[in-house]
Amino acid sequence: MDNQRKASPGLGPSGAAPYETTYHKGPVILRGDMIPDESTSEHLLRPDDSPDWLHTDPWRVLRIQAEFVDGFSALAGLGPAVACFGSARTGREDAAYAAARTAGGLLAKAGYAVITGGGPGIMEAANRGCAEAGGKSVGLGIELPHEEGINRWVNMGITFRYFFVRKVMFMKYSSGGIVFPGGFGTLDEAFEMLTLIQTHKAKSMPVVFFGSEYWGGLFDWISGPVTSHGMISAPDRTLVTITDDVEEAVRVATGAAAR
């Protein structure tokens, strides 16, 4: 509840005089010109002339909360799953599309759900292979002006407003990841996963980059300048497996290679 009271002296803006009044707005302390003209209760009960408040940050918090609740509720019973990342721009005639489709099928046959961003390209391919093999094909979509929406090979789909909520779902419900060729979005998702594993903010899990020719230059740079300048430790490089073999990618991502 909001209240006003005399506070112990604190320096004012000039550093010469104390603020005489402290206003408590929940856990927030306000003094001087920061004290509002009306309390939270007064603001709540005042008639609103416009619905602009629906677009303010406090209201967004409720939307964010709702997205977490929806995601957790939908995915809680998913079982073991592998996240497959890759470009939305990859055509169906591309070799990477065929590889992702094969990987999706192999993962389904191994008893793993496939989680993608739900879009076209590599995401569609992995979802397609999984669905064709009778598996759980999950698409975690994102609200973007240029995206087509969830692809038709998804049998469980959720569309999020916020990237960070979507990333939490990827990390919480995946036990491994396969990164196919892609651009900024793929790099963002892959390095988010690696950073959380490296900093022990998430459980350790296998991460596979598929396509040595495509990813080779990136990891030459990481093994070279990034490591030699001390920006990562040499063992961090071992967090990643690079392969051109789809079956190996699936074995590593599911942890079968270590058993």
Side-chain angles (χ1 to χ4, degrees):
M1 177 181 245
D2 300 346
N3 65 79
Q4 291 185 334
R5 70 181 186 195
K6 293 289 184 181
S8 57
L11 293 181
S14 66
Y19 291 116
E20 295 184 355
T21 303
T22 295
Y23 183 93
H24 291 264
K25 188 176 183 180
V28 179
I29 292 174
L30 302 170
R31 292 177 178 141
D33 293 341
M34 298 299 294
I35 294 176
D37 294 328
E38 60 181 2
S39 70
T40 301
S41 295
E42 289 173 321
H43 183 73
L44 172 65
L45 297 174
R46 173 171 50 81
D48 290 302
D49 296 327
S50 77
D52 289 347
W53 62 275
L54 289 169
H55 307 292
T56 62
D57 285 342
W59 185 249
R60 288 190 185 98
V61 170
L62 297 180
R63 288 199 185 110
I64 292 166
Q65 177 178 292
E67 289 207 351
F68 277 115
V69 171
D70 288 343
F72 293 153
S73 295
L75 298 171
L78 184 62
V82 169
C84 292
F85 304 113
S87 177
R89 304 182 186 190
T90 303
R92 292 175 180 167
E93 72 289 344
D94 195 294
Y97 184 100
R101 182 177 175 183
T102 299
L106 291 173
L107 287 166
K109 291 173 183 176
Y112 283 77
V114 169
I115 305 178
T116 78
I122 292 293
M123 295 173 280
E124 175 191 286
N127 286 136
R128 181 177 180 177
C130 180
E132 290 172 334
K136 297 176 182 177
S137 179
V138 180
L140 305 182
I142 189 71
E143 182 182 298
L144 293 174
H146 56 275
E147 287 289 344
E148 302 173 5
I150 301 293
N151 70 68
R152 66 191 183 95
W153 301 100
V154 166
N155 51 41
M156 178 189 290
I158 311 170
T159 299
F160 296 94
R161 285 187 177 93
Y162 302 100
F163 272 111
F164 58 87
V165 179
R166 182 195 197 208
K167 286 179 178 179
V168 169
M169 301 303 154
F170 269 118
M171 290 303 303
K172 182 172 177 61
Y173 295 104
S174 298
S175 55
I178 304 177
V179 185
F180 293 90
F184 285 161
T186 301
L187 288 167
D188 175 56
E189 291 158 336
F191 279 98
E192 177 85 11
M193 180 174 280
L194 289 173
T195 299
L196 291 172
I197 295 169
Q198 180 206 43
T199 56
H200 304 290
K201 294 295 184 181
K203 62 185 180 296
S204 179
M205 67 176 74
V207 180
V208 183
F209 280 71
F210 183 86
S212 59
E213 181 180 0
Y214 188 87
W215 296 114
L218 173 63
F219 284 97
D220 286 345
W221 174 68
I222 289 173
S223 298
V226 177
T227 302
S228 64
H229 283 76
M231 303 304 174
I232 64 170
S233 301
D236 293 335
R237 173 60 183 81
T238 64
L239 296 174
V240 170
T241 298
I242 302 174
T243 184
D244 296 308
D245 184 327
V246 177
E247 293 186 357
E248 181 186 12
V250 170
R251 284 197 304 271
V252 173
T254 58
R259 293 201 291 268

